[in-house]
Amino acid sequence: MSNRDSKRAPLSRRRFLKNSALAAGAFSAPIVALPAGAAAPLKPVTFTLDWLYQGASVGFLLAKDKGYYRDAGLDVSISAGKGSATTAQLVASKATQIGFSDGYVVGNSIAKGMAIKTVGSIYRRDPAALMVLADSPIKTPKDLEGKTVAMTAGSAQFQQWPAFAKGAGIDPSKIQIINVDPAGVGPALVSGRADAIGGYVFSYAPSIQIRAKKELRIFWFADYGVTVVSNGVIVHEDLLKSDPDVIRAFVPATIKGFLHGRRHVDEAVAAVKRYQPTADPAVTKLEFELAWKTWVTPNTKGKPLGWGSDADWAGTIQVLKQYGGVTAPLQTSQLYTNEFVPTGAEYVPPQQA
């Protein structure tokens, strides 16, 4: 102790009480600063779409913009995707917590060992189809024989093509398949490079019909016996175990977003425009309207959007095994669950497209 410290005046009772009060105030300040009943902080969640911001998947954008995720306690960041397969890989590697991916891709990915699962089915009817110009001589699938079809190799519709050919009663060996990059599929039909194209209807038909001003004739795979569940909300199996409440909050909020857009199409179009400023409102509107045709299957009638049918998922496995090259044993319970799908009439979508 220094000579200066030894000569310091004794601490008076008044100084002691004053210092004690200041110290107590300092310790209690953080508690006083928090208002009574303050809301808990929102839980951050990362979510990746299957593709770009577009009308077909606008329910996620609306769930965020309308505050449905916030009301559920979530702070959701939405990223555009680069295809269902890529999104499935991101979820499997835990690079994103939740994704939007095709059920056929999910089944194929699980067969390869990825620990992912669909927790809410949105496109419950296969959106894949062959499309031809309405003024072409191709009036039925049988008329495709001797013609050329542009598709992207490795895509879900490419893998499902043999199942469609069988259901439609056509000989695939008499049809020439042209491998085209996704961005070039639509132009291949409009330019005459191909007589028909294969793909998701809402991915190509809107821009062809509105921008190119060409009417289409559409042969939906689902109308020819191809029972395949398409896009849904997917998560890693570990998230199901570690934080199921996040999924329990995310899925109903998402479904509310899709159903709100169905009732308020103008809001849906505006939401896409905010995320994708170059989007054509007329194209966006038609994308959403065509997506409605995939919401209900014969096995999901009267059920909430998001609810999956075991029969439909069994059909997906069957197509995977017959035409997708899958040899690993698969059970429907590995691919999906309805545990997080909300019940109640308010979640049931209109039954007509």
Side-chain angles (χ1 to χ4, degrees):
M1 181 181 291
S2 69
N3 186 50
R4 181 180 175 184
D5 290 335
S6 64
K7 294 181 180 179
R8 184 175 294 166
L11 185 65
S12 68
R13 182 173 182 274
R14 179 180 293 179
R15 285 177 62 198
F16 173 79
L17 293 174
K18 180 180 178 181
N19 291 347
S20 298
L22 288 172
F27 281 114
S28 63
I31 299 174
V32 174
L34 286 175
L42 299 177
K43 176 169 287 191
V45 174
T46 54
F47 169 75
T48 303
L49 289 163
D50 63 325
W51 195 235
L52 304 177
Y53 305 109
Q54 58 180 197
S57 54
V58 72
F60 300 102
L61 311 183
L62 285 170
K64 183 175 178 67
D65 289 358
K66 299 299 294 183
Y68 300 151
Y69 289 141
R70 183 186 63 245
D71 293 345
L74 306 177
D75 178 15
V76 179
S77 60
I78 302 176
S79 301
K82 296 181 180 180
S84 282
T86 300
T87 297
Q89 290 169 358
L90 289 173
V91 173
S93 66
K94 301 183 182 179
T96 189
Q97 290 170 284
I98 305 177
F100 192 47
S101 187
D102 181 81
Y104 191 85
V105 170
V106 169
N108 210 352
S109 300
I110 292 171
K112 295 176 180 177
M114 294 187 191
I116 59 178
K117 181 172 284 188
T118 296
V119 292
S121 302
I122 305 298
Y123 308 156
R124 296 180 288 190
R125 186 176 187 264
D126 193 354
L130 289 188
M131 292 158 271
V132 302
L133 297 179
D135 58 5
S136 80
I138 302 173
K139 308 295 184 184
T140 69
K142 189 69 175 176
D143 297 330
L144 289 164
E145 294 182 356
K147 303 295 193 298
T148 56
V149 177
M151 278 191 278
T152 301
S155 64
Q157 54 270 11
F158 179 83
Q159 295 179 46
Q160 296 167 25
W161 156 248
F164 168 79
K166 181 179 179 180
I170 58 180
D171 184 351
S173 68
K174 296 180 180 180
I175 299 170
Q176 181 184 359
I177 302 297
I178 303 173
N179 179 25
V180 181
D181 180 85
V185 171
L189 181 64
V190 175
S191 67
R193 181 186 173 193
D195 300 303
I197 59 173
Y200 284 0
V201 174
F202 46 67
S203 295
Y204 296 109
S207 59
I208 293 173
Q209 294 185 181
I210 293 171
R211 290 177 180 158
K213 301 187 184 306
K214 299 285 188 179
E215 290 299 316
L216 297 176
R217 183 174 295 113
I218 300 172
F219 305 117
W220 293 82
F221 282 17
D223 290 337
Y224 294 88
V226 185
T227 301
V228 170
V229 180
S230 187
N231 282 47
V233 178
I234 68 169
V235 300
H236 197 285
E237 289 276 7
D238 286 350
L239 187 63
L240 283 169
K241 301 170 186 174
S242 65
D243 204 348
D245 287 343
V246 165
I247 307 168
R248 196 166 283 111
F250 185 89
V251 174
T254 295
I255 294 170
K256 286 177 65 176
F258 275 97
L259 295 176
H260 181 88
R262 180 76 179 256
R263 294 189 298 269
H264 306 280
V265 176
D266 289 344
E267 287 187 39
V269 171
V272 172
K273 191 73 173 177
R274 283 193 292 275
Y275 285 81
Q276 188 77 28
T278 58
D280 182 327
V283 171
T284 297
K285 182 174 183 290
L286 187 53
E287 287 171 347
F288 194 28
E289 291 174 346
L290 286 171
W292 296 346
K293 296 179 181 294
T294 71
W295 283 12
V296 180
T297 71
N299 293 318
T300 60
K301 283 185 177 179
K303 298 294 186 179
L305 188 61
W307 188 88
S309 158
D310 204 66
D312 290 346
W313 280 102
T316 304
I317 292 175
Q318 182 179 359
V319 175
L320 278 166
K321 287 185 172 294
Q322 284 188 305
Y323 306 106
V326 171
T327 58
L330 282 177
Q331 301 295 324
T332 56
S333 58
Q334 294 174 261
L335 276 60
Y336 85 105
T337 177
N338 287 325
E339 179 184 351
F340 303 95
V341 178
T343 58
E346 68 272 25
Y347 293 103
V348 178
Q351 300 297 287
Q352 297 298 322

